[in-house]
Every structure is written in C-alpha cells, then in structure tokens.
Amino acid sequence: MLRLSAFASGRGSNVAALHAAITRGDLNAELALVVSNNSGAKVLEFGAARGIATAHISGKTHADEGAALLDALSDARTDVLVLAGYMKKLDPRVVDAYRGRAVNIHPGPLPEFGGRGMFGLHVHSAVLAAGLAETGPTVHRVTADYDEGATLGFRPVPVQAGDTPETLAARVLAAEHDLYWRVLADVFVTP
Ligand code: GAR
C-alpha cells in the first residue's frame, strides 16, 4: 500500500483531511509519518493521538536537518512525500531524493500567486487586491524553487463580494480538503 509521509508546520487540517479520506476508504494509502519543524504544532498531537509516527525535526533539533529528514522518510519507507502547510524551504537533498514523488498544496493559483512570501493569508490578500473573480488551491509537484513544479490539480473557488482574506481562506481551505486526497489518488494510486 502507498505510504505517505506528511510535513506540516502548524494546524494540520490538510493532514487531518487526508487521514479522514484514508479512514473512509477513499484514498488507498497509509499515513506512515508526520513531521513538523515546530515542536508545538497541532499536527504532531493529531498524529500521535492516532498512532501515526511523528517527528519534530528542525535546524534547532538536528545539526543536519536535511539528513534527519531523509533518515525519517527512509525509516518510514516513504513512497510519497506530502507537504501540507510546511512553511519551510525543503532541503535540496530531500527534493532530489523524492523528485517525482513529492507534492505540495498551495492556497491559490500558481504561478501568479506563489513564490517567496506567498503563503497563508498573504495569498488571499493578494488575490483580493488583484480583483480576481476566482481563486482556488493548487496541488503541484515539489521542485527546488518555491511553488514552481508542474500543477497536478486545481479547484476553482469563486471570490464573493465582501470577501476578506479570512473568509476566502476558509472557503479555499475547505476546497483543499476535498482536492488533495483526490489528486494523490489520481496520480499515485494504481487502480
Ligand atoms: C493551507 O491553506 C495550505 O494551503 C497553506 O497553509 C495552510 C495550512 O493549513 N500552505 C501554504 O501557504 C504553503 N505555501 P493546515 O495546517 O490546516 O493544513
């Protein structure tokens, strides 16, 4: 069975949505490992409470963070590396080792609303400032540069009159939760 390892920095609602899709039987995979660069990340509590292997790996905990990430991924026998709100640039050795089998979800259209500094509410503020009629999450392959790999899936989310970055973020997040597992199933699960 496909073994997923997820990297996340905070709340972890996308990790929870993947876990729910697996539990429902919609995504034929196993969540093998959850890694966070933040010791207090809710996603670590989420994983631990469900018996998923978890690790806190950062530049503070490990002198060679990239090597520690690679070891953890290898110990978990990772098939696919899933970035889900991981707010850190990935070590290039990890990018190389998981080329073609690492994906990220971004809360806006790419490449227009991606790149350095474009994360979380910054993306939604930029979308509103640009006056877009439609936004939506993008799932893409991970490459050495921020938000630059090939797009694997996009879910349109209409911008509504009166939207704030927060209201838009909430609707885009709901779309993320329904998009990510479908893309993983389409791209990596052989029927
Ligand atoms: C999600 O909206 C994700 O798209 C975004 O962070 C949020 C994490 O939420 N990622 C980025 O902005 C990456 N550039 P979650 O922790 O609840 O899944």
Side-chain angles (χ1 to χ4, degrees), residues 78-187:
T78 303
D79 295 312
V80 176
L81 168 57
V82 179
L83 305 186
Y86 188 62
M87 302 301 181
K88 231 187 147 171
K89 194 154 186 168
L90 255 196
D91 186 289
R93 287 168 290 170
V94 179
V95 175
D96 273 352
Y98 288 85
R99 198 169 290 282
R101 45 195 195 109
V103 293
N104 180 42
I105 191 157
H106 182 79
L110 291 176
E112 297 84 357
F113 293 87
R116 188 173 285 278
M118 275 293 194
F119 58 89
L121 288 178
H122 298 294
V123 176
H124 306 297
S125 299
V127 163
L128 290 174
L132 293 199
E134 183 181 278
T135 181
T138 307
V139 176
H140 64 95
R141 290 194 189 274
V142 173
T143 59
D145 293 307
Y146 273 119
D147 304 325
E148 293 220 330
T151 293
L152 299 172
F154 174 76
R155 175 71 56 84
V157 173
V159 176
Q160 293 172 3
D163 258 335
T164 63
E166 289 78 12
T167 59
L168 202 48
R171 286 208 314 290
V172 170
L173 190 65
E176 291 180 41
H177 295 164
D178 191 58
L179 175 68
Y180 214 176
W181 68 265
R182 289 179 195 274
V183 172
L184 289 168
D186 280 355
V187 176

